[in-house]
């Protein structure tokens, strides 16, 4: 069959698509940034990539009309648009209008559990999107999940940050909120097995794990898996704003995303029981099993997708990575260095391992200091790390950089800075004819940008000099 997947480069989409391809289906991936997506799917047969922005109805004409089924995985916990719920409903409305002109029989939508009487803005938006997607032309199947636990998921990584960084913590009262965490493997099973299941047409089900846990219990269970002793003291006086700051400084999330999470975490996420587990033969794993399975994937370096690679974790980029691939030449400051290559294979391995646990090869303490300063001003800092220790693809988060272009075969890596800056910055590594070229480019915004460059120029000289020397060892 021909299946449309929206949100194809997102956390869920990138994990669902291989399952559909393994079944022999042709998958149409509707993505905003086709150039970015090509890196993910270039070695996959039966993948059709199309450029489509569901906020722009005209762009949907690029999608084939002969699709049989569709997955609606568009989901924004926006850190920039104040009226993100309006944008989400517009996306759903445009999708519905398009889908009703195609051959699609069933649309499968992943939402959030919305049974509490008082919903956050985020969860209310999920509920309204379901209403917007309902149609008399095609069948809608909705799965409503709570906290999703898996390697690279936002909830998993945030809990990991808290548990592994804080031996003891004074925490906000929302840690007593109850939820029913669900493993990512089970989420995918529900989505995958529901395809063309006629008894699920025009139905909605809550999907959840077998336990009801508070966030505090989840933290302590996570600590037990990691064999760590942790003490949590909950105080009732911490305001949502203080809670957001607490989450922001302790974890790798941005402040605005932390605010959205805090607002949602005050809502109980308890699912309504049904026979969906029996219908699809899915027996959800426990929270502990989901955590243990996630660490197996981490140890195997087989994290398929990470929430940090989403533009939600971005400080600057919004949609299109490829728009920043042409590094400006005029009105810019540059730090340019080159070295004759000693060992090309080793050099490329070093470049492709840069950042994260490996670090930046020289003056690590200064990189960490710059990360702390960035975080104090509301930036991402160095907390995002990297998805994989040796792989890089366009769109990946890399500490406070974003990968714009990555071609190891031809020896070129281009990064764009997402730290807080009075301007824009790029860092490029290029290997040509036995020579490594390393170029840092800064395009200042006004007088402040120029003063910033001159202030950090002495540090840049020995930092970038040391970096290229150590890369080329």
């Amino acid at each position: 069959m021909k299946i449309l997947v929206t949100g194809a480069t997102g956390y869920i989409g990138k994990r669902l698509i291989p399952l559909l391809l393994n079944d022999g289906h042709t998958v149409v991936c509707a993505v905003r940034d086709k150039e970015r997506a090509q890196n993910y799917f270039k070695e996959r047969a039966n993948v059709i990539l199309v450029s489509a922005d569901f906020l722009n109805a005209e762009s949907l004409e690029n999608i084939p009309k002969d699709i049989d089924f569709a997955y609606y995985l568009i989901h924004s916990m926006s850190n920039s648009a104040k009226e993100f719920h309006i944008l989400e409903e517009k996306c759903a409305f445009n999708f519905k209008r398009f889908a009703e002109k195609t051959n699609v029989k069933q649309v499968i939508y992943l939402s959030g559990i919305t049974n509490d009487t008082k919903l956050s803005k985020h969860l209310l938006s999920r509920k309204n999107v379901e209403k917007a997607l309902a149609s008399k032309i095609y069948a809608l199947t909705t799965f409503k999940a709570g906290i999703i636990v898996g390697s690279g998921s936002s909830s998993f990584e945030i809990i990991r940050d808290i548990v592994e960084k804080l031996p003891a913590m004074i925490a906000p009262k929302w840690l007593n909120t109850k939820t029913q965490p669900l493993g990512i493997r089970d989420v995918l099973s529900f989505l995958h097995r529901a395809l063309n299941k006629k008894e699920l047409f025009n139905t909605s089900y809550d999907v959840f794990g077998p336990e009801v846990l508070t966030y505090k219990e989840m933290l302590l269970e996570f600590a037990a898996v990691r064999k760590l002793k942790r003490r949590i003291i909950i105080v009732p006086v911490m305001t949502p704003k203080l809670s957001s700051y607490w989450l922001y400084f302790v974890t790798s999330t941005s402040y605005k995303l932390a605010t959205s999470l805090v607002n949602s975490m005050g809502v109980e996420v308890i699912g309504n029981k049904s026979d969906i587990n029996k219908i699809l033969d899915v027996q959800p794993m426990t929270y502990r099993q989901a955590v243990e399975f996630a660490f197996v994937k981490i140890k195997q370096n087989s994290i398929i997708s990470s929430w940090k690679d989403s533009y939600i974790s971005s400080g600057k980029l919004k949609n299109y990575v490829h728009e920043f691939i042409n590094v400006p030449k005029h009105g810019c400051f540059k730090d340019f260095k080159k070295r004759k290559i000693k060992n090309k294979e080793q050099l490329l391995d070093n470049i492709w391992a840069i950042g994260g646990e490996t670090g930046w090869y020289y003056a690590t303490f200064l990189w960490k200091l710059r990360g702390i300063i960035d975080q104090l001003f509301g930036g991402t800092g160095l907390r995002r790390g990297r998805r994989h220790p040796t792989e890089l693809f366009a769109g990946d988060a890399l500490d406070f950089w974003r990968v714009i272009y990555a071609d190891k075969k031809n020896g070129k890596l281009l990064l764009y800075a997402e730290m807080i800056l009075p301007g824009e910055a790029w860092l490029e590594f290029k290997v040509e004819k036995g020579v490594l070229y390393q170029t840092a480019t800064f395009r200042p915004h006004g007088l402040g940008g120029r003063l910033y460059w001159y202030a950090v120029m002495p540090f840049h000289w020995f930092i970038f000099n040391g970096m290229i020397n150590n890369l080329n060892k």
Side-chain angles (χ1 to χ4, degrees):
M1 297 179 291
K2 186 176 283 187
I3 302 170
L4 171 66
V5 177
T6 66
T9 57
Y11 179 75
I12 301 293
K14 282 201 290 187
R15 295 173 181 241
L16 176 65
I17 288 168
L19 301 179
L20 301 174
L21 293 174
N22 289 340
D23 289 341
H25 303 304
T26 296
V27 179
V28 179
C29 300
V31 295
R32 287 175 297 185
D33 194 349
K34 189 174 178 180
E35 285 79 0
R36 175 194 182 195
Q38 285 173 340
N39 290 284
Y40 298 132
F41 306 118
K42 61 185 177 182
E43 297 180 3
R44 289 282 190 175
N46 297 329
V47 170
I48 300 173
L49 278 177
V50 294
S51 296
D53 182 349
F54 284 87
L55 286 173
N56 178 5
E58 292 181 2
S59 72
L60 307 190
E61 295 303 316
N62 297 327
I63 305 174
K65 302 292 191 299
D66 60 340
I67 56 173
D68 300 300
F69 298 88
Y71 285 91
Y72 192 84
L73 304 176
I74 297 172
H75 185 190
S76 172
M77 215 164 177
S78 176
N79 68 340
S80 58
K82 292 181 180 179
E83 304 301 325
F84 75 91
H85 60 290
I86 295 175
L87 300 181
E88 284 204 328
E89 288 181 46
K90 183 177 179 181
C91 284
F93 177 74
N94 287 339
F95 172 88
K96 175 183 175 178
R97 279 207 310 180
F98 162 77
E100 289 181 338
K101 299 175 186 176
T102 70
N103 299 329
V104 68
K105 303 177 186 67
Q106 178 194 27
V107 172
I108 300 174
Y109 166 51
L110 180 62
S111 181
I113 293 176
T114 54
N115 298 327
D116 203 314
T117 53
K118 186 179 179 181
L119 297 176
S120 66
K121 194 174 182 180
H122 164 65
L123 288 174
L124 184 60
S125 177
R126 298 281 80 206
K127 191 172 185 178
N128 290 336
V129 166
E130 180 182 3
K131 294 178 182 177
L133 291 174
S135 171
K136 295 180 180 179
I137 308 298
Y138 59 77
L140 178 65
T141 301
T142 301
F143 290 115
K144 300 179 179 181
I147 298 296
I148 296 176
V149 183
S151 57
S153 74
S154 58
S155 55
F156 176 87
E157 295 297 341
I158 287 170
I159 289 173
R160 183 183 182 185
D161 280 342
I162 294 172
V163 169
E164 297 191 352
K165 291 178 181 178
L166 301 176
M169 64 194 86
I170 298 175
K173 62 182 179 181
W174 51 254
L175 254 66
N176 284 326
T177 303
K178 295 178 180 178
T179 184
Q180 287 181 283
L182 181 66
I184 180 61
R185 177 188 281 188
D186 296 319
V187 174
L188 295 172
S189 293
F190 284 118
L191 294 172
H192 183 210
R193 298 181 186 186
L195 188 68
N196 201 20
K197 201 83 169 176
K198 291 183 173 58
E199 58 263 52
L200 299 186
F201 284 12
N202 296 312
T203 59
S204 178
Y205 290 94
D206 292 345
V207 289
F208 44 86
E211 306 154 295
V212 176
L213 300 172
T214 64
Y215 289 108
K216 179 180 178 179
E217 290 170 334
M218 289 172 64
L219 288 169
L220 293 175
E221 186 73 13
F222 195 104
V225 171
R226 301 296 287 155
K227 295 180 172 57
L228 298 169
K229 290 185 178 180
R230 293 294 181 258
R231 181 173 176 79
I232 302 173
I233 301 172
I234 295 177
V235 293
V237 293
M238 196 175 288
T239 66
K241 190 170 186 178
L242 283 175
S243 295
S244 299
Y245 278 119
W246 179 79
L247 202 60
Y248 167 65
F249 281 108
V250 173
T251 73
S252 54
T253 184
S254 68
Y255 174 72
K256 290 182 179 178
L257 182 55
T259 301
S260 296
L261 289 169
V262 166
N263 290 335
S264 293
M265 286 174 171
V267 179
E268 285 200 349
V269 184
I270 306 298
N272 291 325
K273 294 181 179 180
S274 69
D275 57 353
I276 188 61
N277 293 359
K278 184 177 181 181
I279 293 173
L280 295 181
D281 191 23
V282 178
Q283 297 303 319
M285 64 181 74
T286 64
Y287 173 69
R288 187 185 185 98
Q289 289 171 328
V291 172
E292 289 173 341
F293 183 73
F295 275 105
V296 169
K297 292 296 182 183
I298 291 170
K299 290 176 182 177
Q300 294 173 346
N301 291 323
S302 57
I303 302 176
I304 298 172
S305 59
S306 170
W307 79 275
K308 295 175 186 178
D309 294 331
S310 163
Y311 294 113
I312 287 174
S313 75
S314 169
K316 291 186 177 182
L317 299 183
K318 302 305 175 191
N319 293 322
Y320 302 101
V321 162
H322 71 272
E323 291 181 358
F324 293 81
I325 200 168
N326 295 315
V327 180
K329 297 180 180 179
H330 302 291
C332 297
F333 296 107
K334 289 183 182 290
D335 183 288
F336 174 76
K337 291 177 172 56
K338 65 178 182 178
R339 297 288 187 274
K340 187 176 180 180
I341 295 172
K342 296 178 180 179
N343 183 321
K344 182 178 179 181
E345 185 176 347
Q346 182 61 53
L347 170 66
L348 289 173
D349 285 345
N350 289 343
I351 293 173
W352 254 253
I354 202 165
E357 294 295 326
T358 302
W360 291 85
Y361 292 99
Y362 189 77
T364 300
F365 72 98
L366 287 177
W367 285 94
K368 289 182 178 179
L369 178 61
R370 183 63 182 88
I372 292 170
I373 293 171
D374 186 59
Q375 191 176 344
L376 289 174
F377 281 89
T380 60
L382 296 179
R383 302 169 299 161
R384 293 186 307 190
R386 50 183 293 159
R387 177 185 56 84
H388 190 280
T390 59
E391 288 181 356
L392 289 174
F393 294 110
D396 282 1
L398 179 57
D399 290 340
F400 47 40
W401 301 86
R402 179 75 60 173
V403 180
I404 301 298
Y405 184 85
D407 186 344
K408 192 173 184 180
K409 183 178 180 181
N410 292 309
K412 182 177 178 180
L413 177 66
L414 179 62
L415 308 177
Y416 177 79
E418 293 191 316
M419 65 191 85
I420 302 298
L421 286 171
E424 296 174 293
W426 290 259
L427 181 59
E428 180 183 58
F429 302 95
K430 186 164 59 176
V431 174
E432 284 184 349
K433 298 179 181 179
V435 178
L436 167 62
Y437 299 93
Q438 176 185 284
T439 308
T441 303
F442 180 69
R443 180 164 62 185
H445 290 170
L447 178 61
R450 286 166 172 78
L451 292 175
Y452 170 83
W453 175 262
Y454 289 121
V456 299
M457 191 164 59
F459 300 100
H460 280 175
W461 184 86
F462 69 85
I463 287 174
F464 289 130
N465 196 59
M467 184 166 66
I468 193 171
N469 289 336
N470 287 337
L471 283 170
N472 195 38
K473 278 186 176 180

